[in-house]
Amino acid sequence: MKEAGTYLYSHIWKSFIRNERWRRNLITRLLYALVGLNFIFIFLTLGLDVSSTIAGEGREASGKFHEWIVWYLLADYLVRCIIQPVPSLDVVPYLRFRIRRSKLAGNIIIRSLFSLFNFLPLFLILPFVIKVTAPFEGIQAALLFLGGSFLLVIMNNILALMTGMLTRINPLNWLIPIGIATAFFIFDRMGGSVGDISRSLGMALTEGRPLAYFIPAVLITAAVILINRLLHQYLRVDRGSSVSSYRTHRNAFTGRLARFGDTGRYMSLEMAMILRNKRPRNAMFFVLFFIVYAFIFFLAYDEQERYINMLFTTMFLGLGAMSYGQLLFSWESTYFDGVMARKNDFLNYVRAKYYLQAILTLITFIPIAVLSYISGRISVLLTTALMIYLLGPNSCLTMLLATLNDGKVDLEASTFMNYQGVKGSQFIMTFFFVIIPIAICELTSLVAGETGGIIVLATLGILFVIFHKWWLKNIIVATFMKRKYKLLEGYRKLSA
Amino acid sequence: MIKVTNLVKSYKRKTVLNISELTIHDGEIFGLVGNNGAGKTTLLRLMLDLISPDRGSVTSEIHVVARSEKWKDYTASYLDESFLINYLTPEEFFGFIAEEYGLAPELTEARLAGFSEFFNGEVLGQKKKFIRDFSRGNRQKIGIASALVTEPRVLILDEPFNGLDPSSQIVLKRILSDFNRANGTLMVISSHDLNHITEICTRIAIIEKGVIIRDIQNDGNAMSELASYFSLRKESM
């Protein structure tokens, strides 16, 4: 009989291959494939472009590439610390079996290797090795550099995994990545050159100097030992459960909005859902992310193309609300049977969701309007018209799309880069929605000038806002009711 | 009264439920027993309009459940944890449900006080604890109490004794019986525990492969009939 631990590795493969996302319909799978191919194409083109550009510089080319290695590793490490999931919860079901914890630790490390971050650098490294290292330094140097780069990527993966575990044990451990990044920046600012160190590292890898391989290997070994120890100490079933650290008194659900009737009560419930659960809370961070990005876009770049400015403004204004809105019902998938079996006022329930979506758009509007005014890149009037349009027809479209989404969302599941409940087709549709107001405005502008475009956008928005009760009842609630059995069935699935 | 007529439900061409006729009368405590996969939960979900039938209908009083939502005014249920809003505290959850059913806070509080023995001091007053942070048994208690607090005319419970400690099981049996006696509530309860079912139910149906194969009036001999059915079935396997 095989030891239970032997199955661990086959389970990684099975959990991947049997994921619900592969059971979607043919069109959705085709969309996934197209999006995947598109990304591969973009990154490969980028990698080839970079390598072709620097290959023109002859023997200097390697140095140009090498001087970015350490910066890349640092950025990669920081991004991984924030968004790369720590797959420790995946092994919790195995804790009750006769499997040594060291084996589970090994399993966690192997699971972590299936990260997109481990494959992305290949698009830069492979073209570089083929176009630069091999022609100028020889095949052996190319292979040595490739092997060394691979080791560095694995090192980053393991170090980020270790940091991820440490930060989950104690948030103060965030000081580790922050400290490392600060140290590098201070070193570079105080006269040291990270670029020089990086160039030396690249050269050492190409020339096959043992120390360049030895240091990453030592760091990997040390991190693996620490991960093992952490798992021995902290991997317990109760730590895998959802014991909340987010206490009620910090944002009590008291139904303070109850004075606004049923809609107010449902809004209170929805806000408690957002504030008290990891996944929606982090989705809300995207609103902040878009605002920060808006600051960079409006103040650091000098983009004059009108439609590009409109596109980004619409994205900044709308994507936060849309990322909440496209999962409007899925957010509640874990308790939706209860919602539907109980007495409720479904129209007010949907209205509450619409109002929250509108509030999100209004909150993002304030900084965006200020930025558009300061930068002068897009008129405040047009920004306002776009915002009103988003409150109207776009909210209606997003909510309608949500009624088609039967994907389950685990509110307490892992955080960033979690596309559970988000389907490929919906993701694309969301971007499509951003294009529609721009197309309306641009097309009207051709006939009636810019003011005409603004008036049409704003009028459409205002009409939808005024008649929101009508479309909520006759379009959103009606569509939902027609599809409710399918949605409920989807929400009951164990995985999505 | 709940009336089931020609109810058929299939998944992937396999019929999982096929009941030509079943009427449950007001005041009855109707027990549903059967092995795993027999179709008990499917029937309960159809009664609550959570899945759509391929054919047939469920009528609650005068309302066809798939066509009207009026039956929700007097029906309460607890099937599983998907009936709990687990990021609320128990008080918040009870309060939310009470408001849905138009109960005054004082009345809700008074009714919840009636569950003090059932809660055993572990559910209410834990102000910093969300439902998801409670043990499985206590979550089950919260779910059952949330259904009872509305004092429904129709009550539907799936495996209510699961996860409860022996003392709580005994208390729950008493609560259900008293509640039925006091309010004449129609109750549909599924369970694997034949002892509990025979103790509280006035009528018991055995369901197998989606078909009700026996419908027993519990006049005191139901236990022996159930025991003989399930032991015979075991022997024939």
Side-chain angles (χ1 to χ4, degrees):
Chain A
M1 208 174 100
K2 278 184 186 175
E3 194 197 337
T6 324
Y7 295 106
L8 279 172
Y9 298 101
S10 71
H11 287 184
I12 296 176
W13 173 245
K14 279 179 183 159
S15 72
F16 172 74
I17 207 75
R18 294 178 183 177
N19 192 298
E20 275 294 320
R21 78 168 72 101
W22 308 125
R23 297 189 185 180
R24 304 255 184 247
N25 61 44
L26 187 67
I27 294 172
T28 312
R29 275 184 288 166
L30 273 174
L31 275 171
Y32 272 131
L34 279 175
V35 170
L37 282 173
N38 184 38
F39 273 115
I40 291 174
F41 177 75
I42 290 170
F43 282 111
L44 211 55
T45 315
L46 190 75
L48 284 169
D49 273 0
V50 169
S51 298
S52 301
T53 312
I54 57 173
E57 303 196 15
R59 296 194 70 82
E60 285 298 306
S62 293
K64 287 264 176 201
F65 188 88
H66 292 162
E67 71 182 25
W68 289 101
I69 295 176
V70 173
W71 285 124
Y72 178 87
L73 288 175
L74 181 65
D76 177 70
Y77 168 70
L78 293 175
V79 174
R80 279 175 193 258
C81 284
I82 298 168
I83 63 177
Q84 185 169 295
V86 176
S88 53
L89 291 188
D90 295 348
V91 300
V92 167
Y94 300 101
L95 283 175
R96 67 194 178 93
F97 296 121
R98 199 165 52 93
I99 306 172
R100 286 181 182 280
R101 274 170 190 262
S102 55
K103 209 161 228 170
L104 290 180
N107 194 266
I108 287 172
I109 290 167
I110 290 189
R111 279 173 193 265
S112 78
L113 292 178
F114 289 92
S115 162
L116 186 67
F117 292 103
N118 295 333
F119 298 99
L120 274 182
L122 287 179
F123 292 109
L124 280 172
I125 296 166
L126 279 179
F128 170 73
V129 166
I130 293 165
K131 291 207 148 204
V132 180
T133 319
F136 295 111
E137 320 270 351
I139 296 290
Q140 190 191 344
L143 290 175
L144 281 168
F145 183 77
L146 200 62
S149 306
F150 183 68
L151 198 65
L152 290 174
V153 169
I154 300 298
M155 177 191 79
N156 251 21
N157 183 82
I158 310 277
L159 288 178
L161 178 65
M162 180 195 77
T163 317
M165 283 180 166
L166 288 169
T167 53
R168 275 161 182 80
I169 291 163
N170 185 354
L172 272 180
N173 286 327
W174 274 108
L175 289 173
I176 299 171
I178 294 169
I180 292 174
T182 317
F184 270 98
F185 281 108
I186 290 175
F187 174 74
D188 206 55
R189 290 273 155 175
M190 301 290 277
S193 171
V194 174
D196 285 348
I197 296 174
S198 190
R199 204 176 289 134
S200 309
L201 174 67
M203 284 300 289
L205 288 174
T206 317
E207 289 166 7
R209 286 192 212 143
L211 199 62
Y213 299 86
F214 183 68
I215 294 172
V218 167
L219 284 172
I220 290 174
T221 315
V224 168
I225 292 169
L226 185 63
I227 288 170
N228 246 309
R229 289 212 175 148
L230 290 174
L231 286 175
H232 268 277
Q233 214 172 330
Y234 291 99
L235 192 62
R236 298 282 184 277
V237 174
D238 60 335
R239 285 173 197 273
S241 73
S242 62
V243 173
S244 170
S245 59
Y246 216 75
R247 294 300 173 202
T248 38
H249 65 273
R250 279 168 66 178
N251 47 105
F253 166 78
T254 51
R256 261 173 293 191
L257 294 166
R259 62 193 147 124
F260 299 109
D262 278 343
T263 314
R265 247 170 7 88
Y266 291 129
M267 280 172 80
S268 297
L269 181 70
E270 196 79 357
M271 278 163 71
M273 186 274 291
I274 293 170
L275 292 168
R276 293 176 181 184
N277 294 289
K278 255 190 230 164
R279 175 91 192 272
R281 217 162 49 220
N282 286 324
M284 289 304 105
F285 275 123
F286 273 98
V287 179
L288 273 180
F289 171 78
F290 277 113
I291 292 172
V292 172
Y293 188 35
F295 270 90
I296 298 168
F297 175 79
F298 279 110
L299 303 178
Y301 293 102
D302 187 24
E303 178 60 58
Q304 292 304 328
E305 281 289 345
R306 186 178 129 94
Y307 77 91
I308 298 266
N309 282 322
M310 277 178 77
L311 180 75
F312 275 84
T313 307
T314 319
M315 262 172 47
F316 297 140
L317 284 171
L319 280 189
M322 276 150 84
S323 65
Y324 159 73
Q326 66 172 336
L327 294 172
L328 216 58
F329 302 106
S330 296
W331 290 125
E332 298 179 277
S333 52
T334 48
Y335 56 89
F336 216 69
D337 266 351
V339 172
M340 293 311 293
R342 275 191 294 270
K343 180 183 173 187
N344 61 37
D345 184 339
F346 207 73
L347 177 61
N348 279 331
Y349 175 78
V350 174
R351 252 172 93 190
K353 288 171 182 287
Y354 168 63
Y355 291 160
L356 273 180
Q357 212 176 313
I359 288 169
L360 264 174
T361 308
L362 287 168
I363 290 172
T364 33
F365 171 69
I366 299 164
I368 305 296
V370 172
L371 283 169
S372 62
Y373 176 74
I374 295 171
S375 70
R377 296 240 298 273
I378 181 167
S379 76
V380 178
L381 221 55
L382 181 53
T383 310
T384 312
L386 282 169
M387 181 272 290
I388 298 171
Y389 181 89
L390 289 177
L391 292 181
N394 243 38
S395 296
C396 178
L397 279 174
T398 310
M399 292 178 85
L400 191 61
L401 197 65
T403 64
L404 306 176
N405 189 355
D406 63 353
K408 182 176 177 166
V409 168
D410 185 352
L411 292 171
E412 276 294 291
S414 64
T415 52
F416 290 94
M417 296 288 272
N418 184 345
Y419 293 112
Q420 189 192 36
V422 183
K423 295 180 178 176
S425 50
Q426 291 198 302
F427 209 61
I428 289 163
M429 288 288 272
T430 311
F431 281 99
F432 187 61
F433 291 167
V434 173
I435 308 293
I436 298 175
I438 298 166
I440 292 173
C441 186
E442 290 292 80
L443 288 173
T444 326
S445 297
L446 288 177
V447 188
E450 191 181 327
T451 318
I454 292 172
I455 290 170
V456 168
L457 268 187
T459 310
L460 278 171
I462 289 167
L463 281 175
F464 268 74
V465 171
I466 291 173
F467 295 108
H468 73 272
K469 272 190 208 165
W470 183 87
W471 59 260
L472 282 172
K473 185 181 173 194
N474 295 296
I475 299 177
I476 308 300
V477 175
T479 315
F480 178 88
M481 285 304 173
K482 264 186 214 155
R483 292 185 42 83
K484 73 172 180 186
Y485 299 118
K486 195 165 173 3
L487 295 174
L488 286 169
E489 198 182 322
Y491 297 161
R492 273 184 220 119
K493 282 180 184 160
L494 281 176
S495 63
Chain B
M1 183 185 77
I2 291 181
K3 194 170 163 52
V4 173
T5 316
N6 297 324
L7 196 64
V8 177
K9 179 70 190 171
S10 311
Y11 287 110
K12 292 180 181 167
R13 291 187 192 165
K14 189 183 171 206
T15 304
V16 294
L17 196 81
N18 187 352
I19 298 174
S20 54
E21 209 193 331
L22 172 70
T23 305
I24 306 166
H25 302 282
D26 290 345
E28 271 186 338
I29 305 186
F30 183 80
L32 205 54
V33 293
N35 290 314
N36 293 332
K40 301 186 293 294
T41 306
T42 304
L43 176 57
L44 300 188
R45 281 189 176 142
L46 282 161
M47 285 178 171
L48 292 168
D49 190 37
L50 294 174
I51 50 179
S52 67
D54 297 331
R55 231 182 26 237
S57 63
V58 175
T59 309
S60 174
E61 296 189 352
I62 54 165
H63 311 289
V64 176
V65 296
R67 280 192 227 134
S68 155
E69 292 198 275
K70 289 263 193 304
W71 56 273
K72 289 183 183 175
D73 294 349
Y74 55 81
T75 306
S77 54
Y78 182 71
L79 301 194
D80 54 36
E81 292 195 2
S82 68
F83 280 55
L84 297 172
I85 304 179
N86 65 16
Y87 53 82
L88 298 182
T89 63
E91 283 88 347
E92 289 171 349
F93 183 54
F94 293 134
F96 178 75
I97 286 176
E99 282 177 5
E100 290 275 35
Y101 286 82
L103 303 179
E106 304 75 34
L107 182 61
T108 315
E109 219 163 283
R111 285 184 184 175
L112 284 173
F115 294 104
S116 56
E117 192 186 359
F118 187 48
F119 289 157
N120 196 26
E122 291 167 352
V123 172
L124 298 175
Q126 325 275 312
K127 284 207 167 92
K128 291 181 180 176
K129 220 170 167 183
F130 295 140
I131 292 173
R132 65 182 176 221
D133 298 334
F134 281 85
S135 69
R136 188 175 161 227
N138 282 330
R139 288 203 296 267
Q140 181 85 350
K141 288 180 187 178
I142 294 166
I144 294 167
S146 72
L148 286 165
V149 79
T150 62
E151 295 206 343
R153 295 207 298 272
V154 173
L155 177 70
I156 298 178
L157 299 173
D158 192 10
E159 310 277 4
F161 302 101
N162 269 11
L164 298 184
D165 57 70
S167 313
S168 302
Q169 290 184 22
I170 292 165
V171 177
L172 178 60
K173 274 189 283 187
R174 200 175 61 235
I175 288 175
L176 292 174
S177 298
D178 291 351
F179 195 82
N180 168 263
R181 250 193 312 277
N183 303 299
T185 309
L186 182 163
M187 295 184 181
V188 183
I189 298 171
S190 87
S191 179
H192 285 140
D193 193 312
L194 301 183
N195 286 320
H196 293 330
I197 281 289
T198 47
E199 268 180 59
I200 59 167
C201 294
T202 52
R203 188 178 153 201
I204 300 162
I206 302 175
I207 186 165
E208 189 182 299
K209 291 180 181 165
V211 179
I212 290 183
I213 52 167
R214 291 203 197 166
D215 193 337
I216 309 160
Q217 281 298 334
N218 189 7
D219 48 10
N221 296 321
M223 184 64 190
S224 57
E225 198 169 343
L226 290 174
S228 74
Y229 168 76
F230 283 104
S231 58
L232 276 175
R233 199 176 173 280
K234 194 182 166 198
E235 281 161 18
S236 67
M237 278 188 348

